[in-house]
Amino acid sequence: MSHSPEPKNPVEKETSSQAVSETDASASNNEMKKESPANPPPLEFPEGGFAGWATVLGAFLVQFCGFGYSASFGVYQAYYTTVYITNETASTISWIGGVNASMSIFIGLISGRLFDKGYFYHMVWGGAVLDIVCLWLLCLAKPDSFYQNFLAQGLGCGIAQGMMYLPCIAVVSHYFRQRRALAMTIVASGSSMGSIIQPIMLNNLLNTNGFKTAAVANAALLTGILVIACALMRTRLPPPPTLMPFKTAIIKFSKDGAYVMGCLGLIIFSIGYYYPLFYIQLDAEKHGLSSHINFYVLVILNVFSFLGRLSPGFLANKVGVPNLITMGMFGCSVVMIGMIGAKSVGSFIVIAILYGYCAGTFISLANPLLAGFATDQMEVGARMGIGFTLSGIGALVGGSIEGALLTTEYVWWKPAVFSGVFALAGVAIMVVMLIMIYERKKAKAKAAAAANASEKA
């Protein structure tokens, strides 16, 4: 499928001259063609409209099926460890969730670039088909057959989700600029909604009807949602006439100190980020909490993650995306270390609430943070793709290291300290990023003041 043609609605035209005569408009277009790709004419954004909000809804549903599925892996981790794949350690089993999450991010480097080239529909429909196939293949996985679950759930679903994830986030920028942070936080909240509904369904079906029934029900649910999601989303802008070569992009972005610090902070923080998501249900179960509690502790976490993903959209313009995401990351770090003392029902519920809200703030603002470093529209996909690919390193190794530290004796303080320390290190790097952003704004303000003074003189 090809990208959609240029819209005819005057609100959506790329040219900034909308009330001029045909002769002037033609001259304006000729001038714009002569402009360098590095300095494109300013775009106008509808900041909504039916197509815009339908695209937001479609992207929301993709997140429901993508990271909503990844964030539900804690249910599978507990079930595989205790019932279905008992011949493998918790560390080995966590590779399924780790590879799933990291592939969803790693593939962003490719899907972001293809999005910039105009292959949006190819990526989302191709990813949806692959995801559906892998979800149904998972239904055929046998007990104690780790490789079957790993290939279908970890590798296959992860690649499919990665094909869809970044294009569905980036396409929102076709419709929104001033309200982009709000639109992206709404989209990001889809993964929280998915990680609320799916664990409830899985926990009830796994423990009453078994693995196959639960997997079939989950595959059927996500199949229907993915088809609806792909049908709702539409591109608005044509791809840039020329794209910045990847090598040139890397060189340019590497000279942006604040962007480099932001990417590095995301890498280090992500090593610890997935520990509560993967292990909190198993932690509650091994501490003797009743099934009514341990089945829903992950759901409680994701309910508050949903709230945490929505609320920053209303504060981002006032407080600033970099400030908000750093505060959310710091909150996550403190709660991770606090998991050392989790033993009672009350302590697990408090941890689920606090971590869920802070994690929701972090995950909803990562996209606007990376997109905010772009100096023009054609950089958005590349900036986000590179940033998320690097953060996928943490997602890949974090869960397995924490599982190895846990050991078969379930020594819970070791992975809690490990994840908390790495998360705090990520926060420290983000503080450096904040300082660099502040100094950059200060320098720009001085330059603007000097320019105004010279004009008056």
Side-chain angles (χ1 to χ4, degrees):
M1 300 175 68
S2 61
H3 62 268
S4 59
E6 283 191 277
K8 297 181 181 179
N9 190 324
V11 178
E12 300 178 352
K13 287 186 178 179
E14 288 190 319
T15 177
S16 59
S17 304
Q18 297 188 10
V20 296
S21 65
E22 291 184 7
T23 304
D24 291 337
S26 176
S28 176
N29 285 338
N30 290 334
E31 288 179 7
M32 284 190 290
K33 287 178 182 177
K34 295 176 183 178
E35 290 191 41
S36 160
N39 298 289
L43 302 178
E44 293 197 10
F45 295 81
E47 302 295 341
F50 177 79
W53 290 113
T55 298
V56 168
L57 176 58
F60 174 95
L61 295 176
V62 169
Q63 298 304 302
F64 181 102
C65 302
F67 270 102
Y69 184 77
S70 299
S72 304
F73 183 73
V75 177
Y76 287 106
Q77 177 76 35
Y79 186 77
Y80 289 163
T81 303
T82 58
V83 178
Y84 206 68
I85 312 180
T86 54
N87 61 332
E88 300 289 352
T89 65
S91 176
T92 301
I93 291 170
S94 70
W95 277 102
I96 299 173
V99 169
N100 177 278
S102 61
M103 284 296 108
S104 299
I105 299 170
F106 281 148
I107 302 300
L109 187 63
I110 301 171
S111 62
R113 192 67 173 172
L114 291 174
F115 169 81
D116 288 338
K117 290 184 176 182
Y119 291 97
F120 171 78
Y121 296 108
H122 300 75
M123 298 306 295
V124 295
W125 280 102
V129 170
L130 179 59
D131 201 21
I132 290 168
V133 170
C134 291
L135 287 168
W136 286 101
L137 286 175
L138 181 63
C139 304
L140 305 177
K142 304 297 182 183
D144 293 327
S145 297
F146 168 80
Y147 75 94
Q148 295 179 351
N149 296 74
F150 176 81
L151 290 175
Q153 187 174 13
L155 195 60
C157 289
I159 292 173
Q161 291 160 14
M163 291 173 65
M164 297 182 287
Y165 174 67
L166 202 56
C168 292
I169 294 290
V171 76
V172 173
S173 67
H174 280 202
Y175 296 90
F176 299 89
R177 172 171 282 169
Q178 297 298 325
R179 304 168 75 183
R180 184 177 293 173
L182 174 61
M184 284 187 172
T185 52
I186 291 173
V187 171
S189 67
S191 60
S192 286
M193 184 62 70
S195 57
I196 291 168
I197 294 174
Q198 292 183 74
I200 293 175
M201 180 182 72
L202 289 170
N203 270 319
N204 282 282
L205 291 175
L206 285 171
N207 291 278
T208 55
N209 300 88
F211 177 78
K212 186 172 183 178
T213 300
V216 167
N218 203 39
L221 173 67
L222 299 191
T223 296
I225 291 175
L226 282 172
V227 171
I228 294 171
C230 291
L232 285 171
M233 292 182 291
R234 289 289 181 272
T235 58
R236 185 180 76 89
L237 302 174
T242 59
L243 288 176
M244 183 184 299
F246 184 72
K247 183 178 179 181
T248 305
I250 292 290
I251 294 172
K252 179 182 178 181
F253 300 164
S254 65
K255 294 178 181 178
D256 185 345
Y259 176 76
V260 172
M261 288 296 103
C263 291
L264 184 58
L266 292 178
I267 294 172
I268 303 301
F269 179 80
S270 295
I271 293 175
Y273 171 74
Y274 289 92
Y275 171 61
L277 297 177
F278 285 4
Y279 289 101
I280 192 169
Q281 181 168 323
L282 181 63
D283 193 354
E285 184 177 330
K286 291 299 180 181
H287 276 93
L289 273 65
S290 69
S291 59
H292 296 292
I293 299 299
N294 64 51
F295 281 3
Y296 291 101
V297 68
L298 184 62
V299 174
I300 294 170
L301 186 155
N302 287 317
V303 166
F304 282 86
S305 177
F306 177 76
L307 299 176
R309 294 181 196 221
L310 282 179
S311 55
F314 301 98
L315 300 172
N317 290 335
K318 293 182 179 179
V319 181
V321 170
N323 296 320
L324 276 177
I325 193 171
T326 303
M327 289 187 283
M329 291 166 67
F330 177 74
C332 288
S333 307
V334 173
V335 176
M336 287 179 203
I337 296 174
M339 287 184 70
I340 297 171
K343 294 180 175 63
S344 64
V345 172
S347 61
F348 275 102
I349 291 176
V350 169
I351 284 172
I353 291 172
L354 295 177
Y355 189 81
Y357 188 84
C358 293
T361 300
F362 161 71
I363 204 68
S364 69
L365 293 176
N367 290 306
L369 175 73
L370 295 171
F373 286 109
T375 56
D376 56 61
Q377 186 67 24
M378 72 177 184
E379 283 187 10
V380 171
R383 292 263 187 180
M384 293 170 64
I386 292 171
F388 269 89
T389 298
L390 293 174
S391 68
I393 298 171
L396 178 63
V397 303
S400 58
I401 294 174
E402 289 145 7
L405 291 171
L406 185 60
T407 72
T408 55
E409 302 297 324
Y410 297 105
V411 183
W412 292 103
W413 70 267
K414 291 182 180 180
V417 170
F418 172 84
S419 59
V421 167
F422 267 87
L424 283 172
V427 172
I429 296 171
M430 297 297 280
V431 171
V432 175
M433 177 199 72
L434 291 178
I435 295 171
M436 297 178 77
I437 291 174
Y438 172 77
E439 292 296 332
R440 180 185 296 174
K441 289 181 178 178
K442 190 176 176 181
K444 285 183 178 179
K446 285 183 178 180
N452 290 334
S454 63
E455 287 178 6
K456 290 179 181 179

